[in-house]
Amino acid sequence: MSVNTYDAIVIGAGHNGLIAGAYLARAGKKVVILERREIVGGAAVTEEIFPGYRFSEFSYVVSLLRPEIIRDLELPRHGLKILPLPSSVTPLDNGDYLAAWADHEPTRREIYRHSPRDAEAMDEYSRVMARAAKAIKPVLSLVPPDPSSMSVRDMLGLLRLGKYAKSLSEKELYRIAKLVTQSSADLLNEWFEFDALKGTKSASGIIGTFLGPHSPGTAYVLLHHYMGEIDGAFRAWGFAKNGTGGVTAAIAASARALGAEIRTNAAVKQVIVKGGRAAGVALENGDELRAKVVLSAADPKRTFLGFVESQYLPDEFVTQIKSFRVRGSSGKVNIALSALPQFTCLPGESPLHKGAISISPSIDYIERAYDEAKYGQFSKNPYIDIIIPSMIDRDMAPPGHHVMSCFVQYAPYDIEGGWDDQKRDAFGETVIRTLERYAPNIRRIIVGKQVITPKDIERIAGITGGNIFHGELLLHQLFFLRPAPQWADFRTPLPGYYFGASGAHPGGGVMGAAGKLAAHEVLRDWR
Amino acid sequence: MLSTLELKVTPFHERTSRLSVAQNWRRWAGYRVVGSYDLSLDHEYWAIRDRAALIDVSPLMKYVIEGPDAARLLHRLTPRDIDRMTVGQVAYTGWCDEEGKLIDDGTISRLGPQHFRLTAAEPSLRWLSMNAVGMDVRITELTDQVAALSLQGPKSRAVLNRVCKDKLDGLKYFRWMNTSVGNVPISVSRTGYTGDLGFELWMEADQALPVWDALMTAGDDYGITPCGILAMDMARVEAGLFMLDVDYTAAPHAWIEGQKSSPLEMGLDWAVNLDKKGYFVGRRALEREKREGSAWRMVGIEVEWEGLERLFAEVGLPPQIPSMAVRESRPIMCDGKQVGYASTSTWSPVLKKYIALAHVQRPYYEVGTSVLMEVTVEHHRKYAPAKVVKLPFYEPAWKKK
C-alpha cells in the first residue's frame, strides 16, 4: 500500500473520531484520523489561551464517557484521570445559597434548611430517576433497530428491545413514557417547591437544546444526568486532569499505540466516490487519500451536505439532514483570574469553590432567558454553569491564580443581525455583569477573558450551527431518528461511508458511544 | 491512672482533630489518628495522586542507633548491605528471625557514620537489644519525641521548596537531608507509603505545630490537603506496598508456621542482599529458599471487570465494590482449588481497576496466570475472573525523578 492508502479514513479527531479510529486500529486495520486543526480534540480541547492559564475551551466536564471505552482503550494507562467535582452550589439573590454534595446527609440537611418537604422529596426523586435511568440505559449501547425494516437484524433488535421493555414493570414504563414527553418544569413542579432547587435541576434539562424548561421533552434530558450514576465505580463524572483536552489526549495516545496515524492540519474537502462507493478523501491542500472505508466524525451537516456531493445521496435523505436541527443555543466565557472570585454567599475560600456553581435562581429565570433567545437575542440574565478548574486541577493556572469556565445559555446562533465583534463583546459584558451580582470582585481580578459564541464554536471547532451536541437532543432527533430515519445504524446511503459522532445515536456529550458503535458497524461489514 | 486507658494523641492532634469533618478515627500503634477528614475519601485520595497530601505518620516507631557498632548491628539484624549505605541514604528493609521469616519492616536512615534511625511498625527495642549483645552501641526509642509528617503527591516538592530553608530539588529518591522550616530544624527524607513523589518530615514533637501550619499555608496554592490513613491505604495497595498484620503476620505473633512470611515470599528479593559479607539473622534460611524457590509469592491481582459485571448482572445489579481498601481475606482459586488468598483489595481510582495484594502458591504466582477471586454478590459467594500482574500496579514517572 502506498503512503496515502489506508483501510479506513476517519474524518475529525474529536473524541468520537479518535475512538472510532482507535477501535479500527485495534482490529488490525490501517487507519488514518484526519484533523482540520493543528491540534486534536475537536470540542474536547485544552488550550493555553493566556500564557500560564489553560482552559477546557468548549466542553468542560466529563460525565458520560463509556466505561467499556475507558477499559478497551486502556485510557488510564494513557493518562486519563478524572478528578472529582464534589459539589454544586446555587447562589441566591438574598445572599444565601443552595448547595449539594456527593454525600447524602449534608445535602439533605442543606435542602431541609430551605424546604423540609423538598428534602424528603429529593430522596425519592433521586431513586425514581436513577431507576428510570437504569431501565433506559441498556438502550443507549444498542445500535438502534429500524422499526420499519424487515431485515433479520432489525427484527432481532426490535425483539430484544421489546423483550427488554417487557421486563420493565408497568409503573416503570409509564414513568419512562412520561419522562420522555414531559417538560422539566412540569416534572420538577410535581416534586419540589423551592425555586432555586427547581431552577438548578431544570437547567440540566435545557443544556445544549434550544428549549426552555417549560418546553416538552426537556424532562428526558434530566434523565441523562442519572445515567452515569449507574456506572458506579466506573462513573466518569468530574473534571479531566489537564482539562477536557486530557481526555482526547489519552484517547489519541491510545489510538497511536494501537497503530492509528493521526494527521493534523489535514482538512477534508470532499469524499471521493468511485463506482458508487466512498473510496477516499481529497484534502483542502490537494492531497488525496484512498481507503476502503471512510468514517465521518464531523457534524451531520458537514458529513452529508459538505463532504459528499448531493448526487450520491437520495433527495429525501438530503432533505432530512437539511432539516436536522443544529441550532446552537449556548456560549462560553473563559476567564483568567489573578485571585479567587469572592462570592457574596461564600466568603473566603470554601470547599464549594471546588464544585459547580450555578446561576439558576428559578425556573422562571431560565424561562425568561429563553424568551429572549426565541426572538433572536442573547439572554440579558443568562443561566450560567461555572466551574473553577484551577481549584480542582492546580496545573490549570499559575499558583495562586485561577481560571474560570462559564457555560452560558442562551446565546442563539441565529442572533438578530448576526454575530459580530460588538455583539460578542456585549455578550461577554452581560456575563460579567451577571457574575458581578453574585461575586462583586470579579471584574477587578480578570486577567483576560475569551468569549465564545455559537458562531465561534462553529468557526473554531467546526460544528455547524455551533450546537454542542452536533444537533439538539430532541425526541424527534433521537434513537432511530438520529440523524435521519432508517440511517441510525451508523451506515449512510453512500456505501463505504459511515457516520459516528454526536449527531448519531446516542447523542452528545463526551460519551464516545457513537464513535465506538460506528467502528463496530464498519468492522461488521468488513469483507 | 485513667490516662493509660486512653489512646495517645499525636503532636498534630490539635490541628488534625479540628480539621476532621468525619471524626473518623483509627488506631495505630497505640495512637489515635485520622482515618479520613472528609465524608468521602475522594478528595484525600486525589490529593495523593494529583496535588499534595499531608499525612500525620507520627505513630511510626522510631529508634536511634548510635555508636561504633551501630552499622554492625543493623548489618547483622537486616538483609540489607549496610556497609554499602552512605550517609544521607535511606534503605527500606524487612528483618527476619533465624528461620528467615519476617518480624517487621521499616526504613533505615544513615544519619552519620555511626548514627542511624530505624522506623518500625511494632515495638522493637527488645529485639534490637538482644542482637546488640556485646556491641558498643546505644539504642534509644524516640517514637513519642519525634513527630513525623508525610507529604505525598506530585506537588509535594513545590510545597516544600516554599517552606524549607533549602531547596529540595537535589534530594534523590530514598535520600534524606537536614533543613529547617522557619526556625524549626527538620530532617526530610524522600520516602513515603504511596508510590508517588513524596517526602517524610521528622521533627521534635514540641515543635511540630509550626511545621504543620507553615506547610498548610504554603501549600494552599497547590491544593494541599490533610489526608487520613484510609486514603493512604488505597494508594499503598496501588504502589504494591504491604502492611504488617494485614498482608503478613509478624513471625513472633504467628501461632503456626503457615502464618509466617519470608521477605522473598513477600517479593522483597531486591531488598535481600545475599551477596553481602558476613552473617545476618535468617541468612541460611533465605539462602536455602533462594536456591529452592519460594512456596508462594505476594503478587498483584487484577480483577477482570467484564467478568465481575457478569456476576452482578445475573442478579440485575451493576458491580458494587467498596470505595476503600478492604483488609479482608479473599480466596484465590485456580483449577478448581484454592491456590492463595488476597489480603487487601481496593478499587483503584487512578487506574480504574479493581486490584488486590495476594499470596499465591507456586506455580500460580507467575505473571499472567488466570485465577479467580472470591467476591460477594448479593450475599452469595461468587468467583470473579482475575489475573496475576506485576507489582506495583501504579508507578508514575515522577516518583523517582
Side-chain angles (χ1 to χ4, degrees):
Chain A
M1 283 197 277
S2 88
V3 253
N4 278 344
T5 306
Y6 297 88
D7 290 327
I9 295 169
V10 177
I11 305 174
H15 62 281
N16 275 307
L18 291 167
I19 287 166
Y23 273 99
L24 291 173
R26 192 168 172 253
K29 305 299 175 201
K30 187 185 173 199
V31 181
V32 64
I33 306 167
L34 304 173
E35 172 55 41
R36 194 180 120 260
R37 292 191 70 192
E38 66 288 357
I39 53 168
V40 301
V45 287
T46 301
E47 292 194 72
E48 195 169 319
I49 307 289
F50 307 103
Y53 302 87
R54 301 160 75 217
F55 294 93
S56 297
E57 207 174 354
F58 306 103
S59 168
Y60 58 101
V61 287
V62 184
S63 65
L64 295 167
L65 186 60
R66 301 298 309 136
E68 62 272 19
I69 296 173
I70 296 176
R71 285 193 299 270
D72 291 346
L73 303 183
E74 297 186 272
L75 298 185
R77 195 162 73 78
H78 292 287
L80 177 76
K81 280 189 196 171
I82 311 274
L83 307 173
L85 270 168
S87 61
S88 71
V89 64
T90 307
L92 308 181
D93 290 321
N94 64 6
D96 197 355
Y97 63 77
L98 169 71
W101 288 272
D103 196 271
H104 173 255
E105 283 306 330
T107 304
R108 189 189 149 91
R109 204 169 65 205
E110 169 68 5
I111 300 173
Y112 192 92
R113 203 162 68 78
H114 300 285
S115 160
R117 216 194 71 163
D118 284 3
E120 277 181 40
M122 180 58 97
D123 289 349
E124 202 184 328
Y125 172 82
S126 304
R127 277 196 298 271
V128 165
M129 292 298 272
R131 279 197 195 127
K134 179 170 178 274
I136 213 162
K137 195 163 186 197
V139 174
L140 287 188
S141 44
L142 284 180
V143 174
D146 181 350
S148 70
S149 158
M150 295 299 281
S151 84
V152 177
R153 189 159 167 245
D154 281 317
M155 295 293 275
L156 279 174
L158 281 173
L159 198 67
R160 259 205 306 274
L161 204 61
K163 235 169 99 184
Y164 175 69
K166 237 182 107 183
S167 77
L168 301 175
S169 74
E170 210 170 315
K171 220 170 149 186
E172 275 174 310
L173 274 174
Y174 288 142
R175 195 160 274 144
I176 290 166
K178 215 167 149 183
L179 271 172
V180 295
T181 50
Q182 236 177 352
S183 76
S184 55
D186 283 347
L187 171 73
L188 293 164
N189 280 324
E190 273 179 35
W191 286 93
F192 306 112
E193 60 184 14
F194 184 50
D195 279 340
L197 179 62
K198 289 190 283 186
T200 305
K201 292 248 161 234
S202 78
S204 36
I206 52 126
I207 285 178
T209 71
F210 203 99
L211 297 171
H214 283 289
S215 314
T218 46
Y220 173 76
V221 188
L222 291 188
L223 195 59
H224 260 258
H225 291 257
Y226 285 86
M227 300 281 177
E229 281 183 21
I230 304 157
D231 294 328
F234 255 100
R235 188 171 185 209
W237 161 241
F239 181 83
K241 174 74 190 169
N242 293 318
T244 309
V247 178
T248 41
I251 303 169
S254 171
R256 285 199 186 97
L258 290 164
E261 180 188 339
I262 299 172
R263 289 200 204 175
T264 52
N265 292 311
V268 170
K269 191 169 167 219
Q270 203 163 52
V271 171
I272 299 167
V273 180
K274 276 240 167 81
R277 276 189 66 90
V281 297
L283 301 185
E284 294 283 1
N285 68 11
D287 288 357
E288 288 198 0
L289 279 62
R290 301 279 155 176
K292 222 172 145 170
V293 160
V294 178
L295 188 156
S296 171
D299 70 77
K301 305 267 182 184
R302 286 204 305 150
T303 298
F304 298 111
L305 309 177
F307 299 146
V308 183
E309 284 178 65
S310 58
Q311 52 166 315
Y312 298 117
L313 299 169
D315 290 348
E316 196 194 358
F317 179 78
V318 171
T319 312
Q320 274 156 354
I321 295 297
K322 277 186 177 157
S323 61
F324 191 71
R325 291 195 357 189
V326 296
R327 301 165 305 172
S329 57
S330 54
K332 187 98 188 289
V333 180
N334 295 318
I335 312 175
L337 299 168
S338 60
L340 196 62
Q342 293 295 314
F343 286 83
T344 312
C345 64
L346 306 171
E349 184 183 324
S350 152
L352 290 167
H353 280 111
K354 296 188 186 93
I357 303 167
S358 177
I359 307 298
S360 50
S362 67
I363 289 181
D364 280 354
Y365 176 93
I366 298 174
E367 189 69 27
R368 273 200 203 99
Y370 175 53
D371 287 344
E372 288 160 329
K374 257 190 306 199
Y375 302 109
Q377 308 296 323
F378 60 75
S379 312
K380 298 292 171 291
N381 296 295
Y383 158 63
I384 310 179
D385 188 34
I386 304 162
I387 59 169
I388 307 174
S390 49
M391 285 297 290
I392 307 157
D393 176 355
R394 299 286 167 163
D395 291 324
M396 297 302 283
H401 290 232
H402 290 281
V403 287
M404 188 164 162
S405 153
C406 306
F407 171 88
V408 189
Q409 195 158 330
Y410 300 81
Y413 175 83
D414 289 314
I415 198 168
E416 199 184 319
W419 283 100
D420 54 27
D421 289 349
Q422 256 170 335
K423 285 210 189 72
R424 187 196 293 114
D425 288 348
F427 172 59
E429 175 57 25
T430 297
V431 172
I432 302 299
R433 216 180 309 125
T434 308
L435 293 174
E436 251 176 341
R437 281 212 298 277
Y438 302 97
N441 77 332
I442 189 86
R443 199 181 290 271
R444 285 200 310 278
I445 57 174
I446 294 177
V447 176
K449 75 174 192 283
Q450 178 197 31
V451 182
I452 300 171
T453 69
K455 198 82 192 168
D456 299 319
I457 298 178
E458 181 179 72
R459 181 176 52 85
I460 305 169
I463 301 170
T464 310
N467 181 278
I468 60 169
F469 296 142
H470 289 201
E472 297 168 62
L473 294 183
L474 299 167
L475 212 46
H476 70 269
Q477 299 199 156
L478 284 176
F479 203 45
F480 56 78
L481 302 174
R482 193 172 183 89
Q486 298 180 333
W487 297 106
D489 65 355
F490 309 99
R491 290 169 187 81
T492 73
L494 177 64
Y497 193 38
Y498 293 80
F499 175 53
S502 290
H505 171 78
V510 186
M511 189 185 324
K516 173 181 186 258
L517 291 172
H520 278 277
E521 294 308 300
V522 168
L523 293 170
R524 186 192 282 269
D525 291 348
W526 206 274
R527 275 184 296 267
Chain B
M1 278 264 292
L2 193 70
S3 67
T4 53
L5 247 183
E6 291 170 358
L7 291 171
K8 290 191 280 188
V9 295
T10 79
F12 300 103
H13 187 74
E14 204 170 301
R15 297 292 184 272
T16 58
S17 57
R18 269 170 220 204
L19 288 164
S20 174
V21 172
Q23 290 294 319
N24 176 357
W25 299 94
R26 284 289 185 276
R27 285 166 74 148
W28 179 5
Y31 283 88
R32 172 152 60 112
V33 295
V34 172
S36 68
Y37 288 86
D38 227 340
L39 297 177
S40 97
L41 297 184
D42 275 5
H43 191 57
E44 289 159 63
Y45 169 85
W46 281 108
I48 296 172
R49 290 290 176 236
D50 193 54
R51 302 187 305 272
L54 188 58
I55 310 159
D56 178 4
V57 294
S58 300
L60 273 174
M61 300 276 169
K62 298 156 222 123
Y63 301 91
V64 164
I65 297 157
E66 300 161 282
D69 289 332
R72 221 180 106 210
L73 168 60
L74 289 168
H75 198 80
R76 176 195 160 88
L77 192 82
T78 74
R80 292 310 293 259
D81 192 344
I82 304 299
D83 293 342
R84 280 198 308 222
M85 252 184 109
T86 53
V87 175
Q89 209 175 334
V90 186
Y92 170 78
T93 188
W95 50 97
C96 302
D97 63 10
E98 221 20 271
E99 278 72 51
K101 299 297 182 186
L102 275 176
I103 294 175
D104 200 344
D105 64 296
T107 58
I108 303 170
S109 304
R110 188 155 202 171
L111 307 179
Q114 303 186 357
H115 190 185
F116 295 84
R117 178 176 52 225
L118 174 76
T119 66
E122 291 270 310
S124 307
L125 209 48
R126 184 175 143 83
W127 182 245
L128 287 167
S129 313
M130 278 165 63
N131 281 280
V133 173
M135 290 190 193
D136 186 0
V137 64
R138 193 167 71 246
I139 304 160
T140 322
E141 184 182 346
L142 290 175
T143 304
D144 294 343
Q145 290 80 2
V146 174
L149 279 176
S150 184
L151 184 67
Q152 301 286 306
K155 298 277 180 271
S156 52
R157 182 158 40 206
V159 174
L160 285 179
N161 277 339
R162 275 197 176 184
V163 291
C164 294
K165 196 182 87 209
D166 306 281
K167 288 271 174 265
L168 277 291
D169 299 318
L171 187 63
K172 291 199 189 114
Y173 189 57
F174 270 81
R175 294 289 188 283
W176 72 270
M177 63 185 267
N178 283 322
T179 181
S180 57
V181 172
N183 48 20
V184 181
I186 64 166
S187 87
V188 181
S189 56
R190 187 149 160 214
T191 49
Y193 198 44
T194 64
D196 219 291
L197 176 67
F199 301 85
E200 286 170 315
L201 283 58
W202 316 84
M203 70 219 80
E204 295 291 331
D206 54 8
Q207 303 189 72
L209 291 181
V211 176
W212 173 281
D213 294 341
L215 286 167
M216 286 297 287
T217 307
D220 189 47
D221 285 344
Y222 296 98
I224 196 171
T225 305
C227 173
I229 62 171
L230 294 180
M232 183 166 67
D233 213 15
M234 296 171 79
R236 64 103 183 161
V237 176
E238 293 173 335
L241 301 171
F242 50 73
M243 183 179 273
L244 182 126
D245 278 349
V246 177
D247 301 297
Y248 77 95
T249 304
H253 295 188
W255 286 97
I256 51 173
E257 279 308 303
Q259 289 177 339
K260 298 178 182 175
S261 302
S262 85
L264 299 176
E265 288 165 338
M266 294 302 283
L268 292 183
D269 309 53
W270 61 274
V272 176
N273 305 131
L274 288 173
D275 57 345
K276 84 180 197 180
K277 283 199 199 99
Y279 169 82
F280 68 90
V281 185
R283 176 161 199 148
R284 267 179 300 273
L286 289 172
E287 275 170 347
R288 191 182 333 112
E289 188 183 333
K290 188 82 188 172
R291 247 186 347 261
E292 293 168 7
S294 307
W296 59 268
R297 306 281 288 188
M298 169 74 114
V299 294
I301 293 285
E302 203 177 286
V303 175
E304 286 169 23
W305 194 258
E306 281 79 3
L308 187 70
E309 220 163 33
R310 271 196 300 278
L311 294 179
F312 278 91
E314 282 168 16
V315 295
L317 285 174
Q320 296 178 334
I321 58 169
S323 55
M324 56 185 282
V326 175
R327 300 169 172 188
E328 185 184 274
S329 177
R330 297 190 175 203
I332 301 287
M333 315 289 288
C334 195
D335 301 336
K337 59 175 197 270
Q338 184 165 352
V339 299
Y341 62 95
S343 43
T344 311
S345 54
T346 191
W347 169 249
S348 165
V350 73
L351 299 169
K352 291 214 170 263
K353 280 180 178 164
Y354 187 20
I355 57 174
L357 294 174
H359 301 232
V360 176
Q361 289 162 20
R362 184 169 56 198
Y364 303 96
Y365 55 55
E366 296 301 331
V367 168
T369 308
S370 292
V371 294
L372 298 168
M373 185 171 95
E374 189 184 284
V375 291
T376 304
V377 177
E378 273 302 280
H379 319 291
H380 287 76
R381 286 179 189 183
K382 301 276 176 182
Y383 295 93
K387 264 206 161 51
V388 174
V389 298
K390 236 177 77 193
L391 293 173
F393 296 99
Y394 178 72
E395 185 167 39
W398 50 83
K399 174 176 140 184
K400 295 182 182 175
K401 246 194 226 158

